[in-house]
Amino acid sequence: MKRSARGFTLLELMIAMALGIIVIAGILTVFAALRRVDRTALAQAAVQNADNAISAALDPAIRGAGFGGCSTLSTAMVSDIDTTSALTNVYSTPVQGFDATGTPGTTTGKGTSTLAIAADNAANDASRTDWTPALDPDLPMPEPGSDVLVVGGEMPGTAPASVNAITDGADNFTVTDNASANVVATLDAEGFPAPAAISDCGKSIVFMVTGLSGSGNAVQLTHDATGGGADNVTPAFQADFPVGAQFVPLQQSAFYVAQGPGGQSALYRATVVKGKWVGQPLVPGVETMQVLYGVSQSGADEWVPAGAVANWTTVDAVRLGFLIEGGLGSNRLAAQTTFNVIGTTVTVPKDTRLRHVYVMNVYLRDASL
């Protein structure tokens, strides 16, 4: 009797299993490669988003440094703010900086300064003498190696508003145009006392707004010496201002890298609220920030560190460099451990993070006034 069918031999089964294993291994390899590509693409997108977020936060604040309406705050200015600080609520110096020790960079951006980041997400520094000049005692502490930039001028997102005539000795004034609604919303959100400036192209005064009343196109703002925090020296204005003089809410901001929520390094912005600096994280994953300054005497192609700026009122441009990191596993094949951040060679741990250097130049719009 003939056999109509027969099973597989042991050799055939072994060959089939081997082929199956090869096919499955190939599929898994392709899948793993696709996952790596996807992770890298996501990290690249995150880094690009970080670039955009940094620009959106810093560009308007730096461009508006020193802007006080019709006059620049560094000239023709009287300050009525009662402060003993060399930095806080001092608007006569629109830009100030602190250079981390050992990271001065160079005018060419190709210097030999070095910064070693031994481990990701370092704890904040404990010594204010690790900066040149020494970090102001009012400021929050950054991570080691991060430069600090402080700017003061028109609050980003606001516009100058016209005021009624102000008589020398008055303690209030009225905002008289459509910008008053924006003024009310801004000052209400900030709370009082809130720094502001009035200018008429020939002179300007910086003071604390201590309260407001009214609505629409007739909002009255008061100016007295009992606001708490940083007060006014006197409740009386020390100059006359004509109808149409410009009122501008002011803001002082400091930018630096510090350890953020969850222990991750982040770009921070601190602003002055009632005489105190209050910091908040802006962009996570920023490992360091380096800053150089363009001054009017040195030429447009020359950039100097904070320690080389003899007179801060001559600064007309700021160059900032950031080293931004992706998540672990975003670049498994990466071997690069050194990056040039505007003249400072930054060494990082050899890990699997995608990293990227972002550089931006910002020119102060009021520098020529």
Side-chain angles (χ1 to χ4, degrees), residues 108-154:
T108 63
K110 298 180 180 179
T112 57
S113 302
T114 59
L115 170 63
I117 299 177
D120 292 323
N121 310 317
N124 294 336
D125 205 312
S127 175
R128 294 184 180 273
T129 59
D130 287 341
W131 281 265
T132 304
L135 193 64
D136 189 274
D138 289 353
L139 289 170
M141 291 300 295
E143 286 186 9
S146 167
D147 289 352
V148 180
L149 170 67
V150 180
V151 295
E154 179 189 18

Side-chain angles (χ1 to χ4, degrees), residues 305-324:
V309 179
N311 182 353
W312 285 103
T313 63
T314 64
V315 172
D316 51 25
V318 180
R319 171 173 288 177
L320 304 104
F322 304 87
L323 182 60
I324 305 169

Side-chain angles (χ1 to χ4, degrees), residues 249-261:
L250 300 178
Q251 184 178 79
Q252 205 173 17
S253 299
F255 297 95
Y256 54 94
V257 172
Q259 191 179 75

Side-chain angles (χ1 to χ4, degrees), residues 50-189:
D51 292 355
N52 295 336
I54 289 170
S55 178
L58 272 72
D59 187 81
I62 299 172
R63 278 182 50 78
F67 180 71
C70 195
S71 301
T72 179
L73 297 179
S74 61
T75 59
M77 188 197 82
V78 173
S79 177
D80 193 32
I81 299 177
D82 185 9
T83 179
T84 58
S85 172
L87 178 72
T88 305
N89 286 318
V90 176
Y91 287 91
S92 56
T93 308
V95 175
Q96 295 185 65
F98 303 86
D99 189 74
T101 300
T103 65
T106 64
T107 58
T108 63
K110 298 180 180 179
T112 57
S113 302
T114 59
L115 170 63
I117 299 177
D120 292 323
N121 310 317
N124 294 336
D125 205 312
S127 175
R128 294 184 180 273
T129 59
D130 287 341
W131 281 265
T132 304
L135 193 64
D136 189 274
D138 289 353
L139 289 170
M141 291 300 295
E143 286 186 9
S146 167
D147 289 352
V148 180
L149 170 67
V150 180
V151 295
E154 179 189 18
M155 182 180 291
T158 64
S162 298
V163 304
N164 66 332
I166 301 174
T167 303
D168 189 351
D171 64 358
N172 66 79
F173 61 95
T174 302
V175 179
T176 57
D177 66 11
N178 291 331
S180 60
N182 177 259
V183 168
V184 171
T186 299
L187 295 180
D188 273 346

